[in-house]
């Protein structure tokens, strides 16, 4: 049970009477609202003059910030190793965390609060313990529960505050019986005992220790140990632990390790230099499924239980109804009343003292949502987990880069939010342009606050972003702080570093990103690197990979400093055209597929440049008969779409589909030709008839061999195109009349046309054109 020592305890005969501090060890569940209420009430009752809280002692200087009006939980202490931000650790606190209530009490009462866990300097230098035990789960299973959260609610949350700490302590003693702490766990508890002994020597009269209930058995015997007079001559008035010089408590049943044993365990621990700060946290990151070991499954529900102890079920369901109404779902007061009745009825049937999360969720599903899971998921996301994002005050220690980002967020009116939100930016507006530049700069620094989405409208002046602030981004900012003290300066330095060892394709992408992020000091350096690389790099594939991004960058015009790109891109295109034909020789399937993608990119870039050199080059290559089928088909399609094909496309397809060609090559040719879409087959019956004749003429074995290629080709077509092709294929007469050599080929296009069905459309078209609509078309 939690330990409490009477202030008038006597040290025994022959020892001078020394006032002994009253020590109260409060074993809690991390982020348990019942424990939080109990700790708050107990601290108000005993009124300690020192509060010790489980956490890193390096943060003692940050405790006072908890009283700042700008501090709003959930927040977390962040410890990181300067220069190695990947070595970091978080200590999260929510309003319903017992530790936060202890810190808040100290701030209100004007008493000192300290952290008593193993320093982060040691914890980040030590290897983590193996998988830890789940005492809540063990207790729940022993009580016959398959859900630990439900067991906790029944035992603690729904039975009031009286005796909560005693119940938890007794349960943890039972679970931990026979357990021997080892590794980091043993060192953590040794340091807690050392901190408690030190506080007792300093002469505090009433000490409260708030720690996880799992550690309580390791501290309670210490608090109950006989007092030892202080021989240090300091202000000590007594001790709750056996720490007098030259004196240790003998080992025995229930005795804690001696001070000497703890010192031996803590001696020689590895250590690193760490820095601490407060960072905002989210309820989503408090969830057990978010990778935080001491998390809870339903932080939003627990916050509700803590902040609304009066009629929690009614208030919860009323909030759920309000959320559903915001989505224009019909939820009335009568629905809420019936939902409350259902939740309470389910709790009574299940023998629970009060309706818990499972009961109110079933009531929401059955009554408020009518069995529809989609609105239930909305309630779960917004209420059970919650959308709350904490806030830290301006006085919080921050790396300069983080402070500059905060200032930019305020200037651009971009408030960090815990839940993903969609934002459409119009780059013609200065405010939205500034927002876009900030997001692109953060992306260069690998701080992905925003994720680009496909814009709802066409044009380069629109951008769509999905913004979601996650606590991990604070660590990413610390890591990026090595590049500069402002976001712009850091992004510029980062680009220059990336450009140092980048190839041509990567440099071309960097040019585009520099323009989007508006980094005028980085762009000339990257352009210089491109000129140097392009002059020395004779690999055609590298030039082809770099050209599209550079041509896209030219669209921004000279106002962004891209005047040097015109000469570079023209020179690169000329070199690509000169070296393309040799580069297409001897390619295997994977290399041919990669080359086809590069050719598509160059074709688009050449179109933007207005150059005819590219099509002339492809027309010359199309005469070759040794090309891989995929590339041959792709080149024919590009030339056909550009009306630059020297012969008839149907004849070219017929030759490629002739029985003299291996079926695999014919299928690859078709894939290359049709990769631009299937509408060509829909509107050209001759081509469709050629493909149909080839397919129906394959042997069963050959068809099985080419089926994967065919499936890959046709599955890429949009569903409407596939449906139209299916209708064409089912019209066998149309295909026969369109087949090469058919005497009916000339009338193929009207073979399946119904004049009666078409009459209405024709009349409409004639009316639009201003012609008479009378009579049959």
């Amino acid at each position: 049970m939690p330990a409490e020592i009477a202030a008038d305890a006597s040290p025994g005969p022959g020892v001078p009477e020394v006032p002994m501090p009253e020590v109260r060890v409060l074993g809690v569940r991390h982020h348990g609202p019942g424990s939080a209420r109990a700790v708050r009430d107990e601290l108000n009752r005993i009124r300690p003059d020192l509060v010790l809280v489980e956490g890193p002692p390096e943060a003692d200087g940050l405790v006072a910030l908890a009283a700042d009006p700008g501090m709003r939980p959930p927040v977390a202490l962040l410890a990181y190793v300067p220069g190695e931000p990947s070595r970091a650790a978080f200590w999260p606190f929510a309003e319903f965390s017992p530790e936060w209530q202890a810190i808040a009490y100290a701030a209100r009462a004007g008493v000192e609060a300290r952290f008593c866990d193993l320093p982060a300097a040691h914890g980040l230098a030590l290897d983590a313990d193996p998988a830890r035990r789940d005492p809540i789960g063990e207790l729940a299973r022993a009580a016959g529960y398959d859900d630990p959260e439900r067991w906790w609610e029944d035992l603690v949350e729904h039975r009031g505050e009286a005796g909560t700490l005693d119940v938890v302590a007794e349960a943890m003693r039972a679970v931990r019986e026979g357990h021997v702490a080892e590794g980091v766990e043993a060192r953590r508890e040794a340091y807690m005992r050392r901190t408690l002994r030190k506080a007792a020597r300093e002469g505090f009269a009433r000490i409260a220790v708030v720690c996880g209930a799992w550690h309580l058995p390791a501290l309670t015997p210490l608090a109950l140990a006989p007092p030892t007079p202080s021989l240090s001559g300091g202000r000590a008035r007594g001790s709750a632990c056996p720490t007098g010089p030259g004196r240790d408590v003998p080992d025995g049943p229930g005795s804690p390790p001696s001070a000497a044993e703890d010192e031996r365990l803590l001696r020689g621990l590895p250590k690193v230099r760490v820095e601490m700060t407060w960072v905002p946290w989210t309820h989503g990151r408090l969830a057990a499924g978010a990778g935080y070991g001491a998390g809870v499954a339903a932080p939003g529900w627990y916050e509700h239980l803590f902040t609304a102890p009066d009629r929690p079920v009614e208030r919860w369901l009323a909030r759920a109804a309000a959320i559903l109404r915001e989505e224009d779902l019909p939820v009335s007061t009568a629905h809420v009343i019936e939902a409350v009745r259902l939740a309470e009825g389910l709790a009574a049937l299940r023998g629970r003292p009060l309706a818990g999360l499972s009961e109110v969720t079933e009531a929401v599903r059955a009554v408020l949502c009518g069995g529809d899971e989609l609105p239930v998921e909305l309630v779960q996301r917004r209420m059970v987990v919650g959308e709350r994002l904490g806030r830290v005050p301006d006085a919080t220690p921050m790396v300069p880069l983080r402070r500059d980002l905060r200032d930019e967020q305020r200037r651009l009116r971009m408030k960090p939010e815990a839940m993903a939100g969609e934002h459409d930016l119009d780059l013609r507006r200065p405010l939205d342009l500034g927002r876009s530049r900030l997001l692109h700069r953060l992306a260069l620094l690998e701080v992905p606050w925003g994720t680009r989405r496909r814009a709802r409208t066409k044009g380069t002046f629109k951008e769509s972003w999905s913004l979601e602030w996650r606590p991990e981004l604070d660590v990413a900012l610390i890591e990026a702080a090595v590049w500069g003290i402002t976001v712009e300066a850091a992004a510029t330095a980062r680009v220059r570093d990336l450009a140092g060892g980048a190839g041509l394709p990567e440099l071309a992408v960097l040019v585009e990103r520099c323009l989007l992020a508006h980094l005028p000091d980085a762009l000339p350096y990257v352009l210089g690197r491109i000129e140097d690389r392009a002059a020395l790099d004779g690999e055609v594939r590298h030039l082809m990979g770099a050209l599209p991004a550079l041509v896209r960058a030219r669209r921004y015009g000279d106002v962004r400093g891209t005047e040097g790109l015109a000469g570079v891109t023209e020179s690169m295109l000329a070199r690509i055209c000169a070296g393309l034909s040799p580069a297409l020789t001897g390619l295997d399937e994977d290399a041919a597929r990669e080359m086809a993608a590069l050719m598509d990119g160059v074709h688009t870039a050449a179109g933007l440049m207005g150059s005819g050199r590219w099509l002339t080059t492809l027309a010359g290559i199309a005469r070759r008969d040794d090309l891989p089928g995929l590339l041959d088909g792709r080149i024919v399609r590009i030339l056909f779409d550009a009306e630059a094909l020297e012969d008839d496309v149907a004849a070219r397809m017929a030759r490629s589909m002739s029985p003299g060609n291996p079926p695999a090559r014919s299928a690859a040719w078709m894939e290359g030709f049709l990769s631009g879409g299937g509408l060509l087959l829909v509107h050209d019956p001759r081509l469709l008839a050629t493909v149909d004749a080839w397919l129906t003429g394959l042997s069963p074995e050959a068809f099985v061999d080419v089926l994967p290629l065919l499936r890959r080709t046709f599955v890429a077509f949009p569903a409407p195109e596939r449906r139209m092709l299916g209708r064409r294929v089912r019209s066998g007469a149309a295909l026969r009349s369109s087949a090469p050599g058919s005497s009916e080929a000339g009338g193929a296009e009207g073979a399946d046309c119904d004049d009666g069905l078409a009459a209405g459309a024709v009349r409409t078209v004639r009316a639009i054109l201003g012609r008479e609509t009378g009579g049959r078309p």
Side-chain angles (χ1 to χ4, degrees):
M1 295 178 65
E4 185 171 358
I5 301 177
D8 59 353
S10 172
V15 179
E17 188 100 6
V18 178
M20 181 177 177
E22 176 185 339
V23 179
R24 176 75 163 157
V25 184
L26 309 177
V28 300
R29 183 194 182 185
H30 300 298
H31 314 308
S35 292
R37 285 194 299 269
V39 165
R40 181 187 60 193
D41 296 344
E42 185 68 7
L43 292 177
N44 286 325
R45 185 187 69 83
I46 64 176
R47 299 188 179 280
D49 52 1
L50 175 65
V51 178
L52 299 178
V53 179
E54 182 179 330
E58 291 96 337
D60 286 351
L62 301 175
V63 174
L65 289 172
D68 193 298
M71 180 77 80
R72 186 187 70 180
V75 292
L77 286 169
L78 165 62
Y80 62 94
V81 179
E84 299 181 68
S86 58
R87 300 175 68 180
F90 294 98
W91 285 262
F93 301 90
E95 186 177 3
F96 52 85
S97 301
E99 298 89 344
W100 181 258
Q101 289 301 315
I103 294 172
Y105 166 82
R108 289 192 307 269
V111 301
E112 186 174 356
R114 301 177 185 172
F115 291 103
C116 61
D117 205 345
L118 187 71
H122 298 311
L124 291 175
L126 292 168
D127 293 331
D129 278 342
R132 299 179 183 179
R133 295 177 62 178
D134 177 17
I136 299 294
E138 293 181 27
L139 290 168
R141 287 189 293 272
Y145 284 74
D146 57 0
D147 183 359
E149 298 295 331
R150 182 178 172 185
W151 172 83
W152 178 261
E153 285 186 357
D154 287 353
L155 178 73
V156 176
E157 303 302 339
H158 296 162
R159 295 190 181 276
E161 297 82 24
T164 294
L165 297 175
D166 294 331
V167 171
V168 174
E170 194 66 29
M172 288 300 169
R173 286 184 182 280
V175 173
R176 186 155 172 169
E177 185 174 358
H179 171 78
V180 178
E182 298 177 344
V184 175
E185 179 189 349
R187 293 181 173 93
R188 290 179 63 196
E189 293 176 347
Y191 198 90
M192 291 180 189
R193 290 189 291 265
R194 173 200 275 181
T195 305
L196 182 54
R197 293 183 180 109
K198 179 176 180 293
R201 287 198 305 269
E202 291 177 2
F204 291 98
R206 292 178 302 280
I207 303 173
V209 184
V210 180
C211 63
W214 176 255
H215 304 295
L216 190 142
L219 301 180
T220 300
L222 179 67
L224 291 173
T228 300
S230 172
L231 304 180
S232 63
R235 63 183 284 266
R237 293 190 296 270
S239 176
C241 47
T243 54
R247 176 179 176 182
D248 290 336
V249 173
D251 292 339
S255 297
S258 66
E261 290 172 332
D262 285 342
E263 293 302 321
R264 282 193 296 269
L265 188 62
L266 296 172
R267 189 176 300 126
L269 289 180
K271 187 177 183 179
V272 293
R273 187 173 71 88
V274 300
E275 294 187 10
M276 300 284 305
T277 186
W278 287 105
V279 296
W281 204 251
T282 67
H283 275 176
R285 296 300 298 171
L286 280 172
Y292 170 52
V296 291
W301 171 250
Y302 276 7
E303 182 193 37
H304 176 74
L305 291 179
F306 182 76
T307 57
D310 176 47
R311 307 179 73 85
V313 174
E314 291 87 343
R315 296 178 186 275
W316 178 268
L317 292 172
R319 282 179 55 200
I323 288 175
L324 296 174
R325 290 191 196 105
E326 290 174 2
E327 301 298 323
D328 295 328
L329 296 175
V331 181
S332 66
T333 304
H335 283 93
V336 177
I337 294 172
E338 288 303 316
V340 171
R341 289 175 178 171
L342 177 57
E344 292 176 345
L346 289 172
L349 286 173
R350 295 168 180 173
R352 304 194 68 182
L354 187 68
L357 180 59
S358 59
E359 285 76 27
V360 296
T361 300
E362 291 178 40
V364 168
R365 178 181 291 107
V367 181
L368 302 187
C369 301
D372 189 351
E373 284 297 324
L374 199 59
V376 175
E377 292 176 5
L378 175 67
V379 174
Q380 291 283 107
R381 185 173 64 254
R382 292 193 182 179
M383 293 183 63
V384 177
V385 175
E387 301 175 337
R388 180 178 295 249
L389 173 67
R391 186 178 66 232
V392 299
D394 293 342
T396 303
M398 298 180 185
V399 294
L401 181 63
R402 179 68 179 90
R403 193 172 297 278
D404 179 69
L405 174 58
R406 184 201 61 190
D407 295 341
E408 286 291 288
Q409 289 170 334
R410 291 176 176 174
R411 182 179 67 85
L412 297 171
R413 300 199 292 274
M414 300 177 70
K415 183 179 179 181
E417 300 287 352
M419 300 299 290
E422 305 301 322
H423 298 267
D424 294 328
L425 303 181
D426 185 342
L427 304 186
R428 295 169 297 185
R429 299 171 53 198
L431 182 63
D432 282 355
L433 180 61
R435 291 169 174 172
S436 171
R437 289 171 174 173
L438 176 63
L439 293 172
H440 283 292
R441 290 169 181 174
L442 290 175
L444 281 166
L445 294 173
E446 298 182 6
V447 182
W449 179 20
T451 303
R452 284 287 297 273
R453 301 174 61 88
R454 184 183 297 275
R456 298 181 176 90
T457 59
K458 295 182 179 180
T460 58
F461 60 87
K462 289 284 189 180
E463 283 184 355
S464 291
W465 293 82
S466 176
L467 302 185
E468 180 183 6
W469 188 265
R470 302 185 306 277
E472 296 86 354
L473 299 183
D474 281 286
V475 179
L477 280 168
I478 293 171
E479 188 170 1
V482 299
W483 301 109
I485 62 174
T486 68
V487 176
E488 181 178 357
T492 298
R494 177 62 171 155
V495 166
R496 293 174 66 90
D497 180 73
L498 291 172
L504 266 178
E506 293 81 9
L507 287 170
V509 172
L510 274 179
V511 168
E512 205 168 14
R513 299 183 71 181
C514 281
L515 292 170
L516 293 172
H518 187 59
L519 299 175
D521 293 336
L523 186 58
Y525 177 79
V526 180
L527 291 176
R529 293 288 300 169
I530 287 177
E531 292 182 5
D532 295 341
R533 285 278 186 177
L536 299 175
D537 197 332
E539 178 61 55
V540 172
R541 291 178 304 163
H542 294 170
L543 297 173
M544 295 175 72
L547 184 64
L550 292 177
V551 172
R552 287 194 301 268
R554 282 181 60 182
R555 292 179 302 169
Y556 293 105
D558 293 343
V559 70
R560 296 205 183 188
T562 60
E563 59 274 4
L565 283 179
V568 173
T569 53
E570 293 290 348
S571 173
M572 289 175 64
L573 181 59
R575 295 173 61 190
I576 290 170
C577 292
L580 182 61
S581 185
L584 302 182
T585 302
L587 300 179
D588 59 16
E589 181 181 355
D590 292 338
R593 196 171 301 282
E594 178 185 357
M595 181 59 73
L598 292 173
M599 288 172 54
D600 284 342
V602 173
H603 178 62
T604 302
L608 293 173
M609 294 171 64
S611 173
R613 187 199 304 262
W614 172 248
L615 291 177
T616 302
T617 301
L618 292 184
I621 293 173
R623 303 188 187 101
R624 292 173 49 176
D625 57 5
D626 63 338
L627 293 176
L630 180 72
L631 294 179
D632 191 11
R634 191 71 201 120
I635 291 173
V636 170
R637 177 61 183 274
I638 290 174
L639 293 173
F640 176 74
D641 289 343
E643 299 181 353
L645 191 64
E646 296 177 354
D647 52 0
D648 183 67
V649 67
R652 179 67 73 104
M653 176 179 280
R655 289 197 301 269
S656 299
M657 300 292 175
S658 65
N661 291 313
R665 188 190 187 282
S666 297
W669 192 97
M670 187 190 306
E671 181 182 0
F673 183 78
L674 296 177
S675 62
L679 281 177
L680 188 63
L681 292 181
V682 174
H683 296 297
D684 195 326
R686 293 184 303 159
L687 296 183
L688 181 58
T690 302
V691 174
D692 183 70
W694 173 72
L695 280 174
T696 56
L698 291 175
S699 66
E701 295 80 8
F703 181 78
V704 171
D705 291 338
V706 302
L707 183 60
L709 290 175
L710 296 174
R711 180 179 291 133
R712 183 167 57 195
T713 300
F714 285 94
V715 78
F717 296 168
E721 293 182 12
R722 295 200 300 268
R723 285 195 296 269
M724 286 188 286
L725 285 173
R727 287 197 295 268
R728 291 280 188 182
V729 171
R730 284 195 296 270
S731 179
L735 289 177
R736 285 193 299 273
S737 65
S738 303
S742 170
S743 61
E744 305 175 16
E749 294 187 9
D752 58 349
C753 178
D754 187 323
D755 289 343
L757 292 176
V762 172
R763 283 195 298 269
T764 301
V765 172
R766 291 175 67 88
I768 293 173
L769 296 176
R771 298 181 180 180
E772 296 180 0
T773 58
R776 186 174 180 180

